[in-house]
Amino acid sequence: MSTLATRVRRHLAPAAKTLLLRCGGYRAIRTIAPSRQIAILRYHAVCGPEGYAYAEPGICVTPESFEAHVAYLSSRYRVIPLPEAVDHIRNRRALPANAVAITFDDGYADNLDAARVLHRHGLVGTFYLTADGLADGQPFWPTEIKTLVNAMPGPSLTITVPERHTLSLATDEDRHRAIRTLTKLCKGNRIPVRDALRAELRALAAMPAAPTATMLTWDQVREMVRLGMDIGGHTLTHANLPSAGPEDAWREIDGCRKVLRERLGVEVTQFSYPNGGAERYHTEELHRMAERAGFTGAATSSNGFASLSSDPYAMERVEIEERLEDLVFALEVERFAFRPAPRVTSPGAVTS
Ligand SMILES: [Zn+2]
């Protein structure tokens, strides 16, 4: 986020944002200076505290808030399917005024209800799925790490992969720190090392490699397809692609599109790079892989707005806020503070 946006966000009181919503301030901005960018919203889980066992609180919004977001967005914005927005970007065709697209990462089971809410409002969301990490597949490793660490008796755990390391589990804060450390190791190492570490943790917790029930099942995804939702790829196993090396990265990107198309019988045109955060999670080489695999667009987790000058394989997305007024503040005020990312590719590049 630019420094101006950070300053504005930090200093404007939450009450001021609420006032702007109630007095029609945001509506005035939309009317006087409509956005010509596309706000690609980045949701993950739609749940209350009951979901914190499988998703970090920072990536959850409650069902009540989600319902309020969708009701507001559907009546005041042009909410368009993401593939349609990507078409505009690729062909440099002007976007509709005040355009928004709605996306979800990972494939949590609670996304089915979110899809029903979108359907009820006549909207289409893009759901980026971890193709081998659904409820009837392999465990979704970020959730598995949390489950395993929370199941261990303590007061510490010692791993030997990738090297010997003892982590304290004495307090709740220690457990959170251990989960963060292990997550970082999973992101920073190649896939076989990551999976060996997970196997070691399973042995320490005396828990089998049970699939994660908190993810969508294929039947639930089929229902979402019947509701008209767009299905996108988010790799096979939520690999951190730069750490995986080019061969495994290609298998993860190309493989997830193939699995999703074969199992669902639908076109899969959109991709999102997993594991946004402090570590490097997408590169120019990976953008080209997404293109070569046949995706027409790929989204990052960089907070910002995509526009006709964006690279369709590195589209920014807008971070979700729990409160409606904070989300609309981002859409109507912070958009003036973001600089669009420079375009790297030419429009109309090869896709299948
Ligand atoms: Zn993800």
Side-chain angles (χ1 to χ4, degrees), residues 44 105-106 130 140 234 238 273-275:
H44 285 84
D105 279 357
D106 297 343
T130 311
F140 179 65
H234 194 50
H238 212 265
Y273 306 95
N275 301 305

Side-chain angles (χ1 to χ4, degrees), residues 37 75 94 133 156 281 292 302 352:
Q37 301 173 318
S75 60
S156 67
Y281 66 99
R292 192 148 44 91
S302 297
S352 66

Side-chain angles (χ1 to χ4, degrees), residues 44-47 51 54-55 104 107-115 214-216:
H44 285 84
V46 180
C47 60
Y54 61 88
F104 293 78
Y108 298 104
D110 57 38
N111 287 185
L112 174 58
D113 280 342
T214 47
M215 307 307 283
L216 288 160

Side-chain angles (χ1 to χ4, degrees), residues 106 129-133 139-142 183-195 198 233-254 256 271-276 279-282 286:
D106 297 343
L129 303 183
T130 311
D132 278 356
F140 179 65
W141 73 257
T183 300
K184 210 167 169 185
L185 287 173
C186 284
K187 288 184 185 181
N189 284 283
R190 287 183 172 252
I191 292 171
V193 177
R194 177 198 73 186
D195 290 347
R198 292 165 65 199
H234 194 50
T235 72
L236 287 170
T237 71
H238 212 265
N240 189 36
L241 297 168
S243 317
E247 272 178 36
D248 277 350
W250 170 252
R251 202 175 52 80
E252 291 271 337
I253 295 172
D254 181 53
C256 79
F271 181 77
S272 80
Y273 306 95
N275 301 305
E279 291 85 5
R280 207 164 55 111
Y281 66 99
H282 70 102
L286 294 166

Side-chain angles (χ1 to χ4, degrees), residues 76-246:
R76 292 162 176 88
Y77 288 84
R78 275 292 300 279
V79 182
I80 58 176
L82 181 63
E84 200 178 310
V86 170
D87 259 10
H88 281 267
I89 293 173
R90 292 175 64 91
N91 298 306
R92 297 199 181 219
R93 209 174 61 243
L95 288 153
N98 300 318
V100 169
I102 297 176
T103 71
F104 293 78
D105 279 357
D106 297 343
Y108 298 104
D110 57 38
N111 287 185
L112 174 58
D113 280 342
R116 288 178 178 139
V117 172
L118 291 171
H119 178 68
R120 211 171 344 107
H121 285 85
L123 304 182
V124 173
T126 291
F127 293 81
Y128 297 111
L129 303 183
T130 311
D132 278 356
L134 297 185
D136 26 19
Q138 296 298 307
F140 179 65
W141 73 257
T143 299
E144 184 189 35
I145 299 278
K146 283 168 78 88
T147 309
L148 293 174
V149 170
N150 287 328
M152 287 183 203
S156 67
L157 83 99
T158 298
I159 52 168
T160 63
V161 180
E163 56 194 23
R164 195 173 180 84
H165 194 39
T166 297
L167 300 162
S168 171
L169 302 177
T171 65
D172 284 352
E173 184 43 46
D174 287 342
R175 278 181 196 268
H176 286 139
R177 201 174 299 122
I179 290 166
R180 278 200 299 274
T181 301
L182 294 166
T183 300
K184 210 167 169 185
L185 287 173
C186 284
K187 288 184 185 181
N189 284 283
R190 287 183 172 252
I191 292 171
V193 177
R194 177 198 73 186
D195 290 347
L197 173 59
R198 292 165 65 199
E200 187 167 40
L201 291 172
R202 281 184 209 124
L204 288 167
M207 286 175 82
T212 317
T214 47
M215 307 307 283
L216 288 160
T217 65
W218 285 101
D219 279 346
Q220 288 172 325
V221 176
R222 285 186 196 98
E223 188 174 342
M224 291 161 72
V225 169
R226 279 195 296 276
L227 293 171
M229 297 300 127
D230 176 49
I231 302 301
H234 194 50
T235 72
L236 287 170
T237 71
H238 212 265
N240 189 36
L241 297 168
S243 317

